[in-house]
Amino acid sequence: MAKDMDWDRRGLPARAYHDATIFALEQERLFRRHWQIVGHVSDLPEPGDYVTLDIAGERAVVIRGHDGVLRAFHNICRHRGTRVVSGETGRCNKAIVCPFHGWAYNFDGTLRGVAERQSFPPLDRRAWGLRPIELEVWQGFVFVRFEPSPQPPVARLMAPFEADFAPFDVPSMVRIPENDWQDRVPANWKSLRDVDNEGYHVRQAHPALHDLYGGGYTDSEWTGPVSRSDGVLNDGPGRLWSVRAYKALVGASPVAGLPQGRRWSYYNLFPNTVIGLYPDSAVWYQEIPLSPGETIQRGRAYRFREESRALRALRYLSGRIDRVTAAEDHDLCVWSYEATKSASGYAGMILSDLERGVRSFHDLWRREIPEGAD
Ligand code: FES
Ligand SMILES: [Fe+2]
């Protein structure tokens, strides 16, 4: 039975990280059929405000209507297919106006006006409106799904974590635009996930994080398509001033006194979404695969609406620690990915009990892409 015991310690085979056929299957079965985070309600507070997401050959725009309702559409003009809006966030005045020939759409997606209308046959406003996409808002976070799938709603998937989120009143939080970030990484998206899905590397790779909560870090196993990781703040000294200051100020958090007031928690939604709750803010980030060997990782952060000076300082510090951590992870992701392309040198991986987050993520992946399992 030794073989069975070893099986899930060996990780995914090298080709799962760079094979173009596998990549195409992932695009179809994972990224088009699973929920994708697009933002938070505070990214688009006013009618006409929008956020976008490009992933798996698809383009989504979520826009707030005059009735306050959020709706998601393909960011594809019904005339000849160009983008009707550009940029990751923005605001439309009165209507969505296509930059190509000027067709205009209402915020509910219906066709509003066609330039030189007499040169077309009659066009029904609904039939020729922007094509809708499934949308769900959970805890203020906005998700879209491009294709129908048996996957339950986000609210049901994330239900085990609902109570953790409640004290933060996340839907009332406010975007911190200066904390928007994006990194283009020359690596497969799973190489980024593999680094993110375990805390075993924190001691060696992230001195600041280790001083913050080293020893108090746990990854839960993925149960279904969700998992949670927690770093509980310790009382030890910090080598970096940012860590020392963070621990000194953490009592300023609105959730101080609760367990959430002493920990950094990460909630993972398969395949590529992470939501983080810190005593001072909430964050999300996601991987957007561009090719087998290139991935965009991007994220945003949100603060409490009312902030004391100390709370503002606290979130400045967590943002700073996060930036340092992300920079430290970048090379590790690239180097792990590069190794999978070494035909003569790479002999697979071996995963410890501390890397159960990686193991169970791989199990989920194998279930959806059995063609890449071995
Ligand atoms: S492509 Fe949009 S108006 Fe022509
Ligand atoms: Fe890391």
Side-chain angles (χ1 to χ4, degrees):
M1 297 323 295
K3 187 165 179 292
D4 283 346
M5 194 180 72
D6 283 337
W7 171 77
D8 69 343
R9 286 190 188 276
R10 300 293 296 166
L12 296 176
R15 73 185 181 90
Y17 293 82
H18 50 73
D19 182 289
T21 312
I22 301 283
F23 183 79
L25 292 174
E26 290 179 333
Q27 298 282 70
E28 178 197 328
R29 295 182 198 163
L30 302 184
F31 296 101
R32 287 202 276 270
R33 289 189 201 158
H34 285 256
W35 292 105
Q36 293 296 327
I37 195 164
V38 190
H40 176 270
V41 289
S42 71
D43 293 333
L44 55 179
E46 301 295 331
D49 287 348
Y50 65 82
V51 294
T52 65
L53 169 69
D54 290 15
I55 194 164
E58 303 284 359
R59 302 193 300 238
V61 52
V62 176
I63 189 160
R64 190 178 291 278
H66 289 294
D67 53 2
V69 174
L70 299 182
R71 296 180 182 84
F73 304 101
H74 289 278
N75 187 4
I76 293 179
C77 181
R78 295 300 306 279
H79 176 222
R80 284 184 38 205
T82 192
R83 279 171 197 276
V84 289
V85 297
S86 56
E88 289 196 359
T89 59
R91 176 170 292 177
C92 293
N93 250 327
K94 289 201 181 110
I96 306 167
V97 180
C98 177
F100 200 171
H101 311 91
W103 280 33
Y105 301 88
N106 295 306
F107 298 157
D108 65 4
T110 52
L111 184 62
R112 180 187 178 106
V114 172
E116 313 291 350
R117 181 181 269 280
Q118 70 289 351
S119 65
F120 289 93
L123 298 172
D124 179 86
R125 287 181 188 281
R126 276 184 199 287
W128 288 91
L130 296 174
R131 300 188 63 210
I133 300 174
E134 205 176 350
L135 173 140
E136 184 179 346
V137 178
W138 178 77
Q139 290 286 342
F141 295 106
V142 184
F143 296 82
V144 297
R145 182 161 62 180
F146 291 98
E147 282 181 13
S149 103
Q151 196 71 225
V154 177
R156 208 150 92 228
L157 295 168
M158 299 293 270
F161 310 132
E162 197 85 41
D164 289 7
F165 280 73
F168 289 81
D169 190 13
V170 183
S172 77
M173 286 183 141
V174 187
R175 178 177 174 209
I176 314 166
E178 64 270 25
N179 282 31
D180 284 12
W181 63 273
Q182 180 163 315
D183 190 15
R184 211 175 167 113
V185 188
N188 183 265
W189 70 279
K190 295 189 294 305
S191 304
L192 279 65
R193 280 284 91 239
D194 288 353
V195 167
D196 204 63
N197 276 332
E198 52 93 350
Y200 177 42
H201 72 286
V202 168
R203 175 188 296 271
Q204 177 68 26
H206 302 309
L209 272 196
H210 183 67
D211 284 358
L212 194 65
Y213 54 61
Y217 185 89
T218 50
D219 291 304
S220 78
E221 216 158 300
W222 289 74
T223 45
V226 297
S227 78
R228 174 177 134 184
S229 307
D230 292 309
V232 179
L233 266 55
N234 62 34
D235 294 321
R239 282 163 283 185
L240 294 181
W241 72 268
S242 52
V243 172
R244 289 195 300 273
Y246 192 85
K247 288 180 183 176
L249 288 172
V250 75
S253 163
V255 296
L258 296 173
Q260 291 94 319
R262 298 283 306 171
R263 72 184 188 215
W264 286 19
S265 298
Y266 300 91
Y267 302 87
N268 303 290
L269 178 62
F270 186 82
N272 63 329
T273 302
V274 181
I275 296 173
L277 291 181
Y278 304 159
D280 55 278
S281 56
V283 302
W284 61 261
Y285 53 96
Q286 74 187 154
E287 290 81 33
I288 300 177
L290 302 179
S291 70
E294 196 167 26
T295 304
I296 285 177
Q297 197 175 40
R298 69 168 190 166
R300 292 195 199 128
Y302 305 86
R303 62 173 176 80
F304 290 100
R305 199 166 280 268
E306 307 293 338
E307 282 188 319
S308 63
R309 265 175 80 127
L311 181 56
R312 208 172 319 135
L314 196 66
R315 99 162 132 82
Y316 167 78
L317 292 166
S318 72
R320 199 185 154 96
I321 295 168
D322 256 358
R323 277 196 296 281
V324 170
T325 306
E328 288 163 344
D329 276 334
H330 179 103
D331 284 350
L332 302 174
C333 299
V334 176
W335 295 340
S336 305
Y337 168 68
E338 285 170 349
T340 67
K341 300 187 89 169
S342 166
S344 61
Y346 186 68
M349 51 180 101
I350 172 106
L351 298 168
S352 72
D353 294 343
L354 295 173
E355 291 155 292
R356 64 173 73 83
V358 180
R359 290 165 67 179
S360 48
F361 175 87
H362 286 186
D363 288 346
L364 281 173
W365 187 93
R366 286 188 195 97
R367 231 175 283 158
E368 304 235 18
I369 320 278
E371 297 89 338
D374 42 37

